[in-house]
Amino acid sequence: MKNFTHVRFEKIPVSFFLHKKTLTVTIILAIACAAAMLLSTSLGDMRIHPLDVMRTLFGGGTDEHRLVIQKLRLPRIIAAFLVGAALAVAGAILQGIIRNPLASPDIIGITSGASLAAVTFISYLAGTVSIVWLPVAAMAGAAVTSIVIYMLAWRKGVTAIRLVLIGIGINFLLGSITKVILVKNPIQTSSQAYIWLTGTVYGTDWSIVWMIVPWVAVFIPLAFVFARNVNVLQLGDDIAAGAGSAVQRQRFALLMISVALAGAAVSVGGAISFIGLIAPHMTRKLIGPSFGGVLPVSALIGGLIVVLSDTVARTAFLPYDIPVGVFTAGVGAPFFIYLLYRNRNS
């Protein structure tokens, strides 16, 4: 037990052990995330010294700095971090319950369901229904898709491999329907939908940030509650059932947590790809497979990747603002090919 630190609260009956390596990596990543967000806040059309950023955040600074930082940049950066964290945790949950390293919300169809619902909303309802309902449409699409996948995969229970194969099929089907809608739409509507499908946090304000905060604040801690169940599920359905786990009920509950996080992230940031795939893999390389440690580290890595990608997208090609999904796909696609190659040879 020398590699663990015991954490105990006096006023509430909660105690647990933290692996020292996991704690160290978490602290380092938290510092890296704070530094990345500070750097991102200081960069842009108007460059602001990091010390001036700090002064502005603590109530000082000029009126111009306060406008740029508090109204324009900070909401976008916080939204980028929360979207990355939500997608990473959703991917970690899926990889845990499915026991497949290639599982993620954008590969097994959850993101495609949210995207189809959002594109349908933009194409047919945006002129008559307020755009503030777009996130609700995206979340509903993710939820309905996940339930359909689960029902189609059910055969006296749901096995991990059947869930993933059905999900991949649904992913391609929904992607095809989305493309048909885009082709039939006017060019202006299709352009707006294409930008959303690529993934972007452009134009984010505080109202959008507060829209995703409750989902992250509720469902990431809820995932921690089920962390022990995921560790058991990774041993296989038969062993988990023999150990007393309600396999199907726990798998469905965890799937719904993943759907909630992925739907919330997609509703705010669009179809940002590969974060749910690569962040959990990087986490396991750093700290190992224990799910209790994978969750917080994955959240920090996912948030860090999206913040850094959005910073490059926003500043590298001024005056153009490139969708952040372009850069996450540029990093994620080679990583996905590497995973496929490694699994072929394993």
mmCIF file of all heavy atoms in Angstrom, residues 47-72:
data_model
loop_
_atom_site.group_PDB
_atom_site.id
_atom_site.type_symbol
_atom_site.label_atom_id
_atom_site.label_comp_id
_atom_site.label_asym_id
_atom_site.label_seq_id
_atom_site.Cartn_x
_atom_site.Cartn_y
_atom_site.Cartn_z
ATOM 1 N N ARG A 47 -2.846 40.874 -28.760
ATOM 2 C CA ARG A 47 -2.034 40.083 -27.831
ATOM 3 C C ARG A 47 -1.961 40.804 -26.496
ATOM 4 O O ARG A 47 -1.671 41.994 -26.428
ATOM 5 C CB ARG A 47 -0.634 39.857 -28.395
ATOM 6 C CG ARG A 47 -0.641 39.082 -29.695
ATOM 7 C CD ARG A 47 0.624 38.295 -29.891
ATOM 8 N NE ARG A 47 0.508 37.392 -31.026
ATOM 9 C CZ ARG A 47 1.367 36.433 -31.294
ATOM 10 N NH1 ARG A 47 2.416 36.253 -30.510
ATOM 11 N NH2 ARG A 47 1.195 35.641 -32.333
ATOM 12 N N ILE A 48 -2.251 40.064 -25.446
ATOM 13 C CA ILE A 48 -2.258 40.622 -24.094
ATOM 14 C C ILE A 48 -1.253 39.849 -23.263
ATOM 15 O O ILE A 48 -1.250 38.616 -23.265
ATOM 16 C CB ILE A 48 -3.667 40.508 -23.467
ATOM 17 C CG1 ILE A 48 -4.706 41.190 -24.366
ATOM 18 C CG2 ILE A 48 -3.688 41.113 -22.080
ATOM 19 C CD1 ILE A 48 -6.137 40.972 -23.920
ATOM 20 N N HIS A 49 -0.394 40.548 -22.568
ATOM 21 C CA HIS A 49 0.618 39.880 -21.752
ATOM 22 C C HIS A 49 -0.058 39.025 -20.672
ATOM 23 O O HIS A 49 -1.072 39.441 -20.088
ATOM 24 C CB HIS A 49 1.533 40.919 -21.093
ATOM 25 C CG HIS A 49 2.791 40.340 -20.529
ATOM 26 N ND1 HIS A 49 2.836 39.712 -19.301
ATOM 27 C CD2 HIS A 49 4.042 40.270 -21.053
ATOM 28 C CE1 HIS A 49 4.066 39.297 -19.072
ATOM 29 N NE2 HIS A 49 4.822 39.618 -20.123
ATOM 30 N N PRO A 50 0.467 37.823 -20.416
ATOM 31 C CA PRO A 50 -0.153 36.960 -19.393
ATOM 32 C C PRO A 50 -0.345 37.636 -18.035
ATOM 33 O O PRO A 50 -1.332 37.367 -17.345
ATOM 34 C CB PRO A 50 0.823 35.780 -19.297
ATOM 35 C CG PRO A 50 1.444 35.707 -20.659
ATOM 36 C CD PRO A 50 1.554 37.116 -21.124
ATOM 37 N N LEU A 51 0.579 38.515 -17.646
ATOM 38 C CA LEU A 51 0.409 39.223 -16.375
ATOM 39 C C LEU A 51 -0.792 40.163 -16.424
ATOM 40 O O LEU A 51 -1.518 40.313 -15.428
ATOM 41 C CB LEU A 51 1.682 40.005 -16.030
ATOM 42 C CG LEU A 51 2.917 39.162 -15.683
ATOM 43 C CD1 LEU A 51 4.115 40.064 -15.413
ATOM 44 C CD2 LEU A 51 2.624 38.270 -14.474
ATOM 45 N N ASP A 52 -1.005 40.798 -17.585
ATOM 46 C CA ASP A 52 -2.190 41.644 -17.742
ATOM 47 C C ASP A 52 -3.466 40.804 -17.728
ATOM 48 O O ASP A 52 -4.507 41.247 -17.226
ATOM 49 C CB ASP A 52 -2.097 42.437 -19.047
ATOM 50 C CG ASP A 52 -1.006 43.494 -19.001
ATOM 51 O OD1 ASP A 52 -0.745 44.020 -17.898
ATOM 52 O OD2 ASP A 52 -0.407 43.781 -20.052
ATOM 53 N N VAL A 53 -3.385 39.583 -18.280
ATOM 54 C CA VAL A 53 -4.522 38.668 -18.229
ATOM 55 C C VAL A 53 -4.860 38.347 -16.775
ATOM 56 O O VAL A 53 -6.029 38.375 -16.365
ATOM 57 C CB VAL A 53 -4.225 37.377 -19.016
ATOM 58 C CG1 VAL A 53 -5.340 36.353 -18.793
ATOM 59 C CG2 VAL A 53 -4.074 37.673 -20.500
ATOM 60 N N MET A 54 -3.832 38.053 -15.988
ATOM 61 C CA MET A 54 -4.051 37.731 -14.573
ATOM 62 C C MET A 54 -4.662 38.917 -13.836
ATOM 63 O O MET A 54 -5.597 38.755 -13.037
ATOM 64 C CB MET A 54 -2.724 37.334 -13.927
ATOM 65 C CG MET A 54 -2.122 36.045 -14.457
ATOM 66 S SD MET A 54 -3.090 34.595 -13.997
ATOM 67 C CE MET A 54 -2.798 34.548 -12.238
ATOM 68 N N ARG A 55 -4.154 40.101 -14.103
ATOM 69 C CA ARG A 55 -4.688 41.298 -13.446
ATOM 70 C C ARG A 55 -6.160 41.498 -13.808
ATOM 71 O O ARG A 55 -6.992 41.838 -12.955
ATOM 72 C CB ARG A 55 -3.866 42.537 -13.825
ATOM 73 C CG ARG A 55 -2.616 42.717 -12.979
ATOM 74 C CD ARG A 55 -2.016 44.098 -13.190
ATOM 75 N NE ARG A 55 -1.384 44.192 -14.507
ATOM 76 C CZ ARG A 55 -0.097 43.925 -14.732
ATOM 77 N NH1 ARG A 55 0.681 43.538 -13.734
ATOM 78 N NH2 ARG A 55 0.405 44.043 -15.943
ATOM 79 N N THR A 56 -6.491 41.266 -15.073
ATOM 80 C CA THR A 56 -7.868 41.439 -15.524
ATOM 81 C C THR A 56 -8.786 40.416 -14.882
ATOM 82 O O THR A 56 -9.911 40.726 -14.469
ATOM 83 C CB THR A 56 -7.941 41.329 -17.056
ATOM 84 O OG1 THR A 56 -7.068 42.308 -17.650
ATOM 85 C CG2 THR A 56 -9.362 41.554 -17.548
ATOM 86 N N LEU A 57 -8.323 39.177 -14.769
ATOM 87 C CA LEU A 57 -9.132 38.121 -14.174
ATOM 88 C C LEU A 57 -9.425 38.388 -12.699
ATOM 89 O O LEU A 57 -10.452 37.950 -12.170
ATOM 90 C CB LEU A 57 -8.441 36.765 -14.329
ATOM 91 C CG LEU A 57 -8.332 36.229 -15.762
ATOM 92 C CD1 LEU A 57 -7.544 34.924 -15.778
ATOM 93 C CD2 LEU A 57 -9.712 36.011 -16.375
ATOM 94 N N PHE A 58 -8.519 39.104 -12.039
ATOM 95 C CA PHE A 58 -8.707 39.413 -10.619
ATOM 96 C C PHE A 58 -9.285 40.801 -10.385
ATOM 97 O O PHE A 58 -9.155 41.363 -9.308
ATOM 98 C CB PHE A 58 -7.381 39.254 -9.867
ATOM 99 C CG PHE A 58 -6.991 37.816 -9.649
ATOM 100 C CD1 PHE A 58 -6.053 37.220 -10.468
ATOM 101 C CD2 PHE A 58 -7.573 37.067 -8.647
ATOM 102 C CE1 PHE A 58 -5.684 35.893 -10.292
ATOM 103 C CE2 PHE A 58 -7.215 35.739 -8.447
ATOM 104 C CZ PHE A 58 -6.267 35.149 -9.276
ATOM 105 N N GLY A 59 -9.912 41.372 -11.426
ATOM 106 C CA GLY A 59 -10.654 42.618 -11.250
ATOM 107 C C GLY A 59 -9.953 43.866 -11.718
ATOM 108 O O GLY A 59 -10.546 44.945 -11.675
ATOM 109 N N GLY A 60 -8.697 43.758 -12.172
ATOM 110 C CA GLY A 60 -7.973 44.926 -12.657
ATOM 111 C C GLY A 60 -8.058 45.024 -14.174
ATOM 112 O O GLY A 60 -9.020 44.594 -14.797
ATOM 113 N N GLY A 61 -7.014 45.591 -14.773
ATOM 114 C CA GLY A 61 -6.947 45.699 -16.222
ATOM 115 C C GLY A 61 -7.754 46.843 -16.783
ATOM 116 O O GLY A 61 -8.569 47.459 -16.093
ATOM 117 N N THR A 62 -7.536 47.121 -18.057
ATOM 118 C CA THR A 62 -8.244 48.201 -18.729
ATOM 119 C C THR A 62 -9.619 47.723 -19.194
ATOM 120 O O THR A 62 -9.908 46.520 -19.228
ATOM 121 C CB THR A 62 -7.439 48.680 -19.950
ATOM 122 O OG1 THR A 62 -7.350 47.600 -20.913
ATOM 123 C CG2 THR A 62 -6.020 49.082 -19.537
ATOM 124 N N ASP A 63 -10.458 48.668 -19.554
ATOM 125 C CA ASP A 63 -11.786 48.319 -20.064
ATOM 126 C C ASP A 63 -11.679 47.474 -21.336
ATOM 127 O O ASP A 63 -12.474 46.540 -21.544
ATOM 128 C CB ASP A 63 -12.590 49.587 -20.364
ATOM 129 C CG ASP A 63 -12.960 50.334 -19.093
ATOM 130 O OD1 ASP A 63 -12.957 49.700 -18.014
ATOM 131 O OD2 ASP A 63 -13.252 51.546 -19.177
ATOM 132 N N GLU A 64 -10.711 47.810 -22.182
ATOM 133 C CA GLU A 64 -10.528 47.058 -23.423
ATOM 134 C C GLU A 64 -10.130 45.613 -23.140
ATOM 135 O O GLU A 64 -10.645 44.672 -23.745
ATOM 136 C CB GLU A 64 -9.462 47.743 -24.288
ATOM 137 C CG GLU A 64 -9.355 47.151 -25.676
ATOM 138 C CD GLU A 64 -8.358 47.913 -26.532
ATOM 139 O OE1 GLU A 64 -7.431 48.538 -25.967
ATOM 140 O OE2 GLU A 64 -8.493 47.863 -27.766
ATOM 141 N N HIS A 65 -9.202 45.431 -22.188
ATOM 142 C CA HIS A 65 -8.782 44.078 -21.804
ATOM 143 C C HIS A 65 -9.939 43.288 -21.207
ATOM 144 O O HIS A 65 -10.097 42.092 -21.490
ATOM 145 C CB HIS A 65 -7.617 44.157 -20.817
ATOM 146 C CG HIS A 65 -6.321 44.534 -21.458
ATOM 147 N ND1 HIS A 65 -5.166 44.747 -20.728
ATOM 148 C CD2 HIS A 65 -5.998 44.750 -22.755
ATOM 149 C CE1 HIS A 65 -4.188 45.063 -21.553
ATOM 150 N NE2 HIS A 65 -4.672 45.086 -22.785
ATOM 151 N N ARG A 66 -10.730 43.939 -20.386
ATOM 152 C CA ARG A 66 -11.867 43.240 -19.779
ATOM 153 C C ARG A 66 -12.868 42.799 -20.837
ATOM 154 O O ARG A 66 -13.430 41.711 -20.754
ATOM 155 C CB ARG A 66 -12.544 44.136 -18.739
ATOM 156 C CG ARG A 66 -11.780 44.221 -17.419
ATOM 157 C CD ARG A 66 -12.649 44.812 -16.320
ATOM 158 N NE ARG A 66 -12.955 46.218 -16.579
ATOM 159 C CZ ARG A 66 -12.195 47.232 -16.179
ATOM 160 N NH1 ARG A 66 -11.080 46.993 -15.488
ATOM 161 N NH2 ARG A 66 -12.537 48.471 -16.445
ATOM 162 N N LEU A 67 -13.094 43.638 -21.842
ATOM 163 C CA LEU A 67 -14.020 43.278 -22.916
ATOM 164 C C LEU A 67 -13.502 42.065 -23.686
ATOM 165 O O LEU A 67 -14.245 41.093 -23.913
ATOM 166 C CB LEU A 67 -14.196 44.469 -23.860
ATOM 167 C CG LEU A 67 -15.002 44.185 -25.139
ATOM 168 C CD1 LEU A 67 -16.440 43.825 -24.789
ATOM 169 C CD2 LEU A 67 -14.948 45.380 -26.085
ATOM 170 N N VAL A 68 -12.237 42.123 -24.095
ATOM 171 C CA VAL A 68 -11.666 41.047 -24.911
ATOM 172 C C VAL A 68 -11.594 39.741 -24.126
ATOM 173 O O VAL A 68 -11.955 38.667 -24.627
ATOM 174 C CB VAL A 68 -10.269 41.448 -25.426
ATOM 175 C CG1 VAL A 68 -9.577 40.269 -26.096
ATOM 176 C CG2 VAL A 68 -10.384 42.617 -26.390
ATOM 177 N N ILE A 69 -11.131 39.827 -22.870
ATOM 178 C CA ILE A 69 -10.900 38.605 -22.089
ATOM 179 C C ILE A 69 -12.204 38.031 -21.555
ATOM 180 O O ILE A 69 -12.512 36.851 -21.760
ATOM 181 C CB ILE A 69 -9.922 38.896 -20.938
ATOM 182 C CG1 ILE A 69 -8.531 39.201 -21.496
ATOM 183 C CG2 ILE A 69 -9.848 37.716 -19.966
ATOM 184 C CD1 ILE A 69 -7.549 39.692 -20.463
ATOM 185 N N GLN A 70 -12.989 38.843 -20.882
ATOM 186 C CA GLN A 70 -14.152 38.327 -20.167
ATOM 187 C C GLN A 70 -15.358 38.088 -21.070
ATOM 188 O O GLN A 70 -16.162 37.197 -20.794
ATOM 189 C CB GLN A 70 -14.532 39.282 -19.038
ATOM 190 C CG GLN A 70 -13.449 39.410 -17.970
ATOM 191 C CD GLN A 70 -13.799 40.425 -16.888
ATOM 192 O OE1 GLN A 70 -14.873 41.024 -16.910
ATOM 193 N NE2 GLN A 70 -12.897 40.625 -15.953
ATOM 194 N N LYS A 71 -15.476 38.843 -22.145
ATOM 195 C CA LYS A 71 -16.644 38.699 -23.014
ATOM 196 C C LYS A 71 -16.384 37.814 -24.230
ATOM 197 O O LYS A 71 -17.288 37.109 -24.695
ATOM 198 C CB LYS A 71 -17.116 40.083 -23.494
ATOM 199 C CG LYS A 71 -17.574 41.014 -22.379
ATOM 200 C CD LYS A 71 -18.853 40.511 -21.731
ATOM 201 C CE LYS A 71 -19.374 41.514 -20.706
ATOM 202 N NZ LYS A 71 -20.608 41.022 -20.036
ATOM 203 N N LEU A 72 -15.151 37.849 -24.755
ATOM 204 C CA LEU A 72 -14.880 37.171 -26.016
ATOM 205 C C LEU A 72 -14.074 35.881 -25.851
ATOM 206 O O LEU A 72 -14.485 34.826 -26.353
ATOM 207 C CB LEU A 72 -14.150 38.123 -26.970
ATOM 208 C CG LEU A 72 -14.884 39.425 -27.308
ATOM 209 C CD1 LEU A 72 -14.038 40.284 -28.220
ATOM 210 C CD2 LEU A 72 -16.229 39.118 -27.947
#
